[in-house]
């Protein structure tokens, strides 16, 4: 209540440090709707690109830590290597890797820096091959397979007895 709308951005970024752009975008879109603001299409595209890169970043952390917990340490190293490249994008646009505060009410902090497009292309060019590598390392890992197959299976009767709904049911 005591902060201006722009001052809230660092707060919402820290609610989920893996998805700071996503949190900021949701907040900024709400404020822009309240103010009746419309931003240029270029800004919308840049925001979506940054949010999607952040989503990939979040999935890489999940996959890497999950794999490590299940006995596939190498996959964690591969995932975090790719995550570093995405964090480099944040550093390129904002000067630091976490909590970039780049998405702002009414637009962006500033225009994209030189080298941004090539850095994103480099990530997107190499990512499919890296995902395939991780998949191979996991699906061919006997320990990982033994620890993950058949886990969390619920019978129809158990799902009904527990009152489960939606995807879990």
């Amino acid at each position: 209540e005591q902060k201006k709308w722009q001052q809230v951005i660092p707060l919402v970024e820290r609610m989920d440090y893996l998805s700071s752009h996503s949190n900021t975008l949701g907040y900024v879109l709400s404020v822009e709707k309240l103010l009746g603001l419309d931003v240029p299409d270029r800004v919308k595209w840049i925001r979506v690109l940054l949010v999607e890169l952040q989503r990939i970043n979040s999935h890489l952390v999940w996959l890497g830590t999950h794999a490590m917990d299940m006995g596939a340490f190498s996959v964690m190293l591969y995932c975090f290597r790719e995550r570093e490249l995405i964090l480099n994008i944040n550093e390129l646009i904002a000067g630091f890797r976490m909590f970039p505060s780049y998405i702002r009410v009414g637009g962006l902090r500033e225009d994209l820096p030189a080298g941004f497009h090539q850095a994103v292309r480099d990530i997107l060019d190499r990512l499919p091959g890296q995902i395939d590598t991780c998949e191979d390392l996991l699906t061919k890992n006997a320990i990982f397979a033994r620890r993950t197959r058949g886990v969390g299976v619920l019978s129809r009767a158990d799902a009904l007895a527990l009152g489960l709904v939606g995807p879990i049911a």
Side-chain angles (χ1 to χ4, degrees):
E1 292 177 357
Q2 299 170 356
K3 297 195 178 300
K4 296 180 173 97
W5 285 336
Q6 291 288 50
Q7 294 174 313
V8 175
I9 290 172
L11 302 178
V12 297
E13 282 184 323
R14 285 158 176 79
M15 290 166 36
D16 178 1
Y17 67 93
L18 294 176
S19 299
S20 58
H21 287 304
S22 300
N23 293 348
T24 303
L25 182 60
Y27 169 72
V28 163
L29 289 175
S30 299
V31 172
E32 289 170 352
K33 186 173 183 177
L34 286 171
L35 295 174
L37 292 177
D38 190 30
V39 299
D41 285 342
R42 183 170 189 273
V43 169
K44 292 175 185 175
W45 283 103
I46 292 169
R47 287 174 170 181
V48 169
L49 175 61
L50 293 173
V51 167
E52 287 302 308
L53 287 170
Q54 198 85 65
R55 184 178 59 83
I56 293 168
N57 170 37
S58 180
H59 288 308
L60 288 168
V61 171
W62 166 79
L63 179 60
T65 55
H66 175 65
M68 182 180 64
D69 289 344
M70 296 295 117
F73 185 73
S74 298
V75 173
M76 190 272 300
L77 296 175
Y78 291 133
C79 287
F80 273 64
R81 179 183 61 196
E82 300 310 308
R83 178 179 183 256
E84 286 297 311
L85 299 175
I86 295 172
L87 292 177
N88 288 345
I89 297 288
N90 281 349
E91 189 172 1
L92 187 63
I93 63 172
F96 42 89
R97 301 164 69 71
M98 303 281 283
F99 314 122
S101 298
Y102 187 75
I103 297 172
R104 300 289 178 93
V105 174
L108 302 168
R109 188 176 86 176
E110 58 194 14
D111 200 6
L112 295 173
F116 174 85
H117 294 90
Q118 189 58 51
V120 171
R121 274 190 212 102
D122 291 346
I123 291 170
L124 297 179
D125 285 346
R126 68 179 276 136
L127 201 55
Q130 297 304 316
I131 291 171
D132 289 344
T133 299
C134 290
E135 182 179 6
D136 288 345
L137 287 169
L138 291 176
T139 58
K140 296 176 183 173
N141 182 322
I143 296 170
F144 182 84
R146 193 168 54 249
R147 292 179 179 175
T148 56
R149 288 198 182 126
V151 175
V153 176
L154 291 170
S155 69
R156 179 183 174 96
D158 286 341
L160 290 172
L162 293 168
L164 300 177
V165 296
I168 295 174

